[in-house]
Amino acid sequence: MEEIAQQAFGDALFSQALERNQLKVWRREAEAVAEILKKEEAFVALVSGPWPEKELRIKLLREVFGERVSPELLEWMTLAAEQGVFCHIQAMIGRFVRKADRQLQKEQVTVTAPGELSVAQRKRVERCLNRSIGVAPEDIRYRRDASLIGGMTVRIGDQVLDGSVRTRLRRMKEELLTWNGKAGEESR
């Protein structure tokens, strides 16, 4: 059922967004909704469940998201609740976002650092990425990975630019081992 709902609802939202020239706006809204709902599993379960009555669940959905998303996205979410497939909302939004990204020919950009970047650091990264590849600040995702030690990595689609201390240390180790191996051969 999830696969059918994902395809039907994800494709329907994509078609409507494309037809109304709202792909970028609805993509951003849908991704924000998915992020909120990921943290609010109880809300998803409530809207998806048999209780309270459907009318109350729909009213709750409209009250929570009515001012936060476009009327069309709200109607799409309402229809999902009415059809009993709201429990698959993450998968449906995921399909829509993937299709929207392909249509927009957008590369996913993820910046990973060992800790939270300050506002000034984020602004610097955003300026640099905007100048070099034309990516908008709202299209950059930030992650933390303490194993990087220092520096950062930037993933653009399937390409990775690695300026992390972890990778620099690994390369130094490989060079030392290679150099040590060559020195041992020369002494024979």
Side-chain angles (χ1 to χ4, degrees):
M1 180 65 168
E2 180 179 355
E3 202 171 306
I4 293 168
Q6 174 184 345
Q7 185 174 359
F9 277 80
D11 291 355
L13 184 60
F14 176 77
S15 296
Q16 287 294 308
L18 201 57
E19 182 180 302
R20 295 169 191 227
N21 199 28
Q22 293 294 308
L23 202 53
K24 218 173 191 176
V25 173
W26 290 6
R27 183 208 175 281
R28 190 171 39 252
E29 287 182 6
E31 200 168 50
V33 166
E35 198 61 36
I36 290 167
L37 294 178
K38 190 185 302 178
K39 297 173 188 164
E40 299 297 335
E41 292 177 16
F43 179 81
V44 174
L46 180 65
V47 173
S48 303
W51 185 87
E53 304 84 43
K54 188 188 299 186
E55 292 76 26
L56 278 170
R57 288 183 279 137
I58 301 303
K59 182 178 180 186
L60 178 63
L61 189 60
R62 290 181 188 280
E63 285 180 14
V64 170
F65 288 102
E67 299 295 318
R68 294 186 168 136
V69 299
S70 61
E72 297 88 352
L73 185 58
L74 181 61
E75 284 307 311
W76 178 81
M77 293 167 62
T78 302
L79 182 61
E82 288 172 348
Q83 296 296 316
V85 294
F86 194 82
C87 58
H88 304 299
I89 193 77
Q90 293 290 354
M92 296 183 305
I93 289 174
R95 181 174 177 97
F96 165 70
V97 167
R98 286 189 302 277
K99 289 187 77 151
D101 285 350
R102 279 195 301 270
Q103 180 68 29
L104 296 168
Q105 297 177 343
K106 177 177 168 176
E107 293 285 347
Q108 187 72 11
V109 177
T110 304
V111 174
T112 306
E116 192 71 34
L117 295 178
S118 69
V119 172
Q121 289 171 320
R122 283 182 180 231
K123 294 279 186 209
R124 187 171 174 208
V125 167
E126 290 165 1
R127 272 194 312 273
C128 182
L129 289 172
N130 183 274
R131 282 189 205 132
S132 60
I133 61 171
V135 67
E138 65 267 14
D139 295 329
I140 301 170
R141 307 287 171 266
Y142 292 93
R143 283 189 21 185
R144 283 187 288 175
D145 180 354
S147 72
L148 292 181
I149 304 169
M152 66 178 60
T153 64
V154 178
R155 177 178 288 277
I156 305 165
D158 59 356
Q159 183 180 12
V160 177
L161 307 171
D162 193 337
S164 68
V165 172
R166 177 184 63 193
T167 298
R168 289 185 212 154
L169 289 173
R170 183 180 44 80
R171 285 184 186 145
M172 285 174 54
K173 178 182 173 186
E174 289 169 359
E175 287 176 19
L176 285 172
L177 289 173
T178 303
W179 181 77
N180 191 27
K182 288 180 183 176
E185 289 175 10
E186 290 176 7
S187 65
R188 288 185 196 168

